[in-house]
Amino acid sequence: MTFLPRGGAASRHSRRAAATIGAVSAGLLVLSACDKPTPIATLTLGKDSVNTEAECYDDLDQAEVQKCVKEKPSETIELPAGETLRVGVDPEVSETGWSLWIDGQPATPQYKKTYYTFPNAGDLFSAQQGQAPQKSLTISVVEQNKEGTEFKGVWNFTLKNPDA
């Protein structure tokens, strides 16, 4: 017959198991308190691309959208003249629909695709008659329904004009 002293091997195993269960439970509690990441929008120019999560996301009203499209973008990419701009969104964004806004103003119709190509996007910097070309602009991907009455998300990027 084997006697295990108090606090012996069996007790150590129980404590380890309890500690493991406690750590797993605490980890799950912390994860459940985290916000789910927002969908991603991506801009691609040639071999360069940048992506970001939404500046604002989840049932936005018109005033919130106007505020969000003015937020400073975290990602910047250069857009030379004659270059093709490619915009990609997560499938859930394409289900709702999205459009591009330039410097806070709607600029395209709604798209229901995960990917859209804009040839000669460098023309976005074209100068108005008598004015110098813009050095940069903010392009926003705005998730919205076709009527433009319901908004869900805004992703902002800075496009720099290397030719200005």
Side-chain angles (χ1 to χ4, degrees), residues 82-143:
E83 187 71 47
T84 297
L85 173 67
R86 292 168 182 85
V87 179
V89 298
D90 283 355
E92 65 188 80
V93 175
S94 70
E95 287 175 17
T96 306
W98 59 276
S99 62
L100 287 183
W101 291 31
I102 298 173
D103 287 336
Q105 299 299 315
T108 68
Q110 183 194 53
Y111 303 105
K112 300 274 284 180
K113 300 177 180 183
T114 58
Y115 189 82
Y116 200 84
T117 301
F118 299 91
N120 297 319
D123 293 345
L124 295 171
F125 296 114
S126 296
Q128 298 291 332
Q129 193 169 2
Q131 295 179 346
Q134 290 179 277
K135 292 183 181 186
S136 69
L137 55 87
T138 299
I139 189 166
S140 303
V141 174
V142 178
E143 183 179 0

Side-chain angles (χ1 to χ4, degrees), residues 14 24-25 54 106 117 119 142:
S14 296
V24 169
S25 297
T117 301
V142 178

